[in-house]
Amino acid sequence: DRWSQEDMLTLLECMKNNLPSNDGSKFKTTESHLDWEKVAFKDFSGEMCKMKWMEISNEVRKFRTLTELIMDAEEHVKNPYKGKKLKKHPDFPKKPLTPYFRFFMEKRAKYAKLHPEMSNLDLTKILSKKYKELPEKKKMKYIQDFQREKQEFERNLARFREDHPDLIQNAKKSDVPEKPKTPQQLWYNHEKKIYLKVRPDATTKEVKESLGKQWSQLSDKKRLKWIHKALEQRKEYEEIMRDYIQKHPELNISEEGITRSTLTKAERQLKDKFDGRPTKPPPNSYSLYCAELMANMKDVPSTERMVLCSQQWKLLSQKEKDAYHKKCDQKKKDYEIELLRFLESLPEEEQQRVLGEEKMLGSNRKGATSPASKKSSPETGKPKRPISAMFIFSEEKRKQLQEERPELSESELTRLLARMWNDLSEKKK
């Protein structure tokens, strides 16, 4: 190739001089209208210039205007190893092989000779298994060699950066404060360092799987430690971020965006529980009765529990129901006293959060009423919804089926009635 760097830069300069002054089209459009004979220089013909441009342009991004593309091309010609091609530089230090690959390269030839019929994939599987079964003492040889070469690689890389500062892309780091981490992220970063000291040959997948399992099995007490760390970090972030927004008023960041919690719902509930937040009692006597009854229904399928609760509640005498009304009222009074004590121990923003959650819980629980109360309190002025044809059919056939098939549960009976309705002819429906 007789094109020198100087020639290539001249080609790009000639192309720039032949571009339209208002170049706003896609680069392919402008490129197709370019007069390559006007671009030609020295003894390089228009066709030779076009072919060289095609070669250079393959190395740069092409989703911009031709004017911008030529600027990228000039940068590429000056620094062909910059960016993604940095590792292809002849002086770039070679990355050390991992402990497993050292073992693999050492044993591969031997196993390939012993098993010539095996494919590369099968050989890899066998050697992977052999490495995992290797005693820690023998494995340590490969780990130590890797660690020694890794330290040497890091020294050589630092030297390479000093010798080639123009090739290292020091992307200007944003001065926006880093967002706070979740409890799991803080714990993961801490444990990952410890894990890799013991298992430096572990893959990213192995680290994630092992630590993910450990996190799910972490005790509440240990998990709470990381919840507190995450809350401390978030508090620091809020202070730094507010100061940053004052210096940068052009940023459209709301207060909600700054104070967004890094805790999951389960983590928030765990912290509140350890801080002494009382458990909200059932909203009414029927719900209280169901909660007590369900505690002894662990073997009963979930679909049948509410049906059984409703049936049992209907069998209670009025005196027994009144006892539950009284018990429920007392629990509500006790809860209000305990909640006030809990709120007094919290800072103002936390008080607002808890009160907001209580309001939401209250509105969500309004629907949890007893079968009796549902019947006795219709909405005033609201017309009654007509009963569906399927419901009339189900009520008509249910009693007969219960007598013929007493072994069926309520849910099984309902499913059977639905099938019978679907099989019914249109005329009978």
Side-chain angles (χ1 to χ4, degrees):
D1 190 351
R2 63 194 187 89
W3 285 82
S4 66
Q5 188 187 65
E6 191 182 339
D7 290 335
M8 287 189 278
L9 290 170
T10 305
L11 163 66
L12 297 171
E13 193 60 42
C14 290
M15 284 178 71
K16 271 203 283 190
N17 294 336
N18 282 280
L19 290 176
S21 55
N22 58 341
D23 181 25
S25 306
K26 286 183 180 178
F27 88 91
K28 276 282 179 191
T29 307
T30 314
E31 187 184 72
S32 65
H33 291 103
L34 203 64
D35 188 344
W36 289 100
E37 291 307 317
K38 287 183 180 178
V39 174
F41 66 100
K42 285 189 187 177
D43 55 345
F44 296 110
S45 68
E47 189 58 32
M48 287 166 76
C49 288
K50 185 179 178 180
M51 293 300 289
K52 192 65 191 175
W53 162 247
M54 292 299 173
E55 186 188 314
I56 295 168
S57 69
N58 278 334
E59 301 295 326
V60 293
R61 54 187 178 156
K62 303 179 186 67
F63 51 88
R64 310 185 80 181
T65 63
L66 192 56
T67 306
E68 293 167 318
L69 195 62
I70 292 169
M71 287 167 70
D72 279 359
E74 283 176 326
E75 187 59 38
H76 166 72
V77 170
K78 288 175 187 173
N79 297 300
Y81 296 109
K82 200 169 183 178
K84 290 179 182 178
K85 294 185 179 283
L86 182 67
K87 290 175 185 178
K88 290 185 180 179
H89 195 285
D91 298 338
F92 193 84
K94 197 175 178 182
K95 214 170 184 180
L97 292 174
T98 63
Y100 163 68
F101 269 105
R102 286 167 190 278
F103 171 81
F104 178 85
M105 297 301 284
E106 189 182 286
K107 304 291 179 184
R108 190 184 179 281
K110 178 188 168 183
Y111 276 85
K113 202 174 180 181
L114 286 169
H115 305 283
E117 75 288 353
M118 280 193 178
S119 66
N120 282 333
L121 183 64
D122 291 334
L123 274 172
T124 305
K125 283 178 182 177
I126 284 178
L127 288 167
S128 176
K129 192 182 175 186
K130 290 280 179 191
Y131 180 76
K132 283 176 182 175
E133 291 169 354
L134 215 60
E136 286 302 315
K137 198 175 180 181
K138 286 189 177 180
K139 205 181 269 187
M140 194 50 69
K141 170 188 172 282
Y142 300 104
I143 291 169
Q144 285 172 348
D145 288 347
F146 164 73
Q147 286 174 334
R148 188 181 63 253
E149 282 190 26
K150 189 186 174 189
Q151 287 173 350
E152 192 182 336
F153 166 77
E154 284 167 355
R155 283 195 296 271
N156 292 338
L157 184 63
R159 201 175 298 121
F160 177 84
R161 283 175 171 157
E162 284 174 20
D163 296 344
H164 303 278
D166 54 319
L167 298 181
I168 307 299
Q169 286 183 318
N170 290 323
K172 191 183 175 185
K173 285 189 178 179
S174 171
D175 61 344
V176 178
E178 190 184 353
K179 285 187 177 180
K181 293 197 166 34
T182 66
Q184 187 174 358
Q185 287 170 337
L186 290 172
W187 175 86
Y188 181 86
N189 292 344
H190 176 265
E191 292 298 315
K192 187 182 174 184
K193 290 173 188 173
I194 299 165
Y195 188 87
L196 288 173
K197 277 181 184 177
V198 180
R199 291 269 322 272
D201 56 329
T203 63
T204 307
K205 189 183 175 183
E206 285 171 341
V207 175
K208 281 185 177 178
E209 281 178 0
S210 178
L211 294 182
K213 197 176 177 182
Q214 284 181 46
W215 172 258
S216 64
Q217 293 170 353
L218 210 66
S219 68
D220 285 351
K221 195 176 179 182
K222 286 183 179 177
R223 201 178 287 248
L224 202 65
K225 172 191 166 186
W226 295 98
I227 288 171
H228 284 132
K229 280 183 183 286
L231 288 171
E232 283 168 20
Q233 196 185 79
R234 199 199 79 182
K235 199 173 180 181
E236 286 172 16
Y237 167 78
E238 285 174 14
E239 288 172 11
I240 296 164
M241 198 64 191
R242 284 193 185 98
D243 184 52
Y244 181 80
I245 288 168
Q246 281 185 343
K247 291 174 184 174
H248 300 272
E250 71 281 1
L251 292 173
N252 189 22
I253 301 171
S254 64
E255 181 68 16
E256 191 185 336
I258 301 169
T259 58
R260 191 176 286 118
S261 178
T262 50
L263 305 187
T264 63
K265 189 179 176 181
E267 287 164 351
R268 171 62 64 197
Q269 286 171 346
L270 178 64
K271 185 189 176 294
D272 283 349
K273 182 186 168 185
F274 272 81
D275 287 348
R277 183 172 177 174
T279 307
K280 192 157 186 142
N284 53 50
S285 52
Y286 172 67
S287 298
L288 176 62
Y289 174 76
C290 288
E292 287 183 4
L293 203 61
M294 282 185 185
N296 302 312
M297 280 190 189
K298 287 174 184 173
D299 299 328
V300 180
S302 56
T303 51
E304 294 175 29
R305 287 177 195 172
M306 284 312 293
V307 176
L308 283 169
C309 282
S310 177
Q311 288 171 349
Q312 293 295 318
W313 175 258
K314 287 172 186 175
L315 294 172
L316 291 183
S317 66
Q318 192 56 48
K319 192 179 178 182
E320 287 171 316
K321 286 181 182 179
D322 288 342
Y324 272 100
H325 290 318
K326 197 175 178 182
K327 193 176 178 182
C328 183
D329 289 340
Q330 188 57 50
K331 279 186 174 288
K332 283 181 182 178
K333 284 173 188 174
D334 293 343
Y335 173 74
E336 283 172 16
I337 294 163
E338 287 170 26
L339 183 65
L340 282 169
R341 280 195 197 127
F342 174 67
L343 287 168
E344 282 168 10
S345 68
L346 300 176
E348 194 179 336
E349 70 255 19
E350 284 294 285
Q351 285 181 13
Q352 294 303 318
R353 174 187 66 80
V354 173
L355 287 168
E357 287 171 0
E358 288 292 315
K359 196 176 178 183
M360 279 177 70
L361 277 169
S363 64
N364 289 341
R365 288 189 175 200
K366 279 176 186 174
T369 53
S370 71
S373 65
K374 282 181 185 175
K375 288 177 188 175
S376 61
S377 58
E379 287 183 51
T380 52
K382 191 174 180 181
K384 199 173 180 180
R385 183 178 263 179
I387 295 167
S388 69
M390 185 185 170
F391 184 83
I392 295 166
F393 168 81
S394 299
E395 288 302 293
E396 191 181 288
K397 300 288 180 185
R398 186 179 292 272
K399 199 171 180 182
Q400 184 189 334
L401 272 175
Q402 281 172 334
E403 287 171 5
E404 289 173 3
R405 303 280 300 275
E407 77 283 359
L408 292 178
S409 68
E410 280 293 320
S411 57
E412 287 168 336
L413 197 65
T414 305
R415 283 197 293 271
L416 181 59
L417 285 163
R419 280 200 299 272
M420 285 168 69
W421 170 258
N422 290 332
D423 295 340
L424 216 60
S425 67
E426 287 301 313
K427 194 176 179 181
K428 285 184 178 178
K429 278 183 184 179

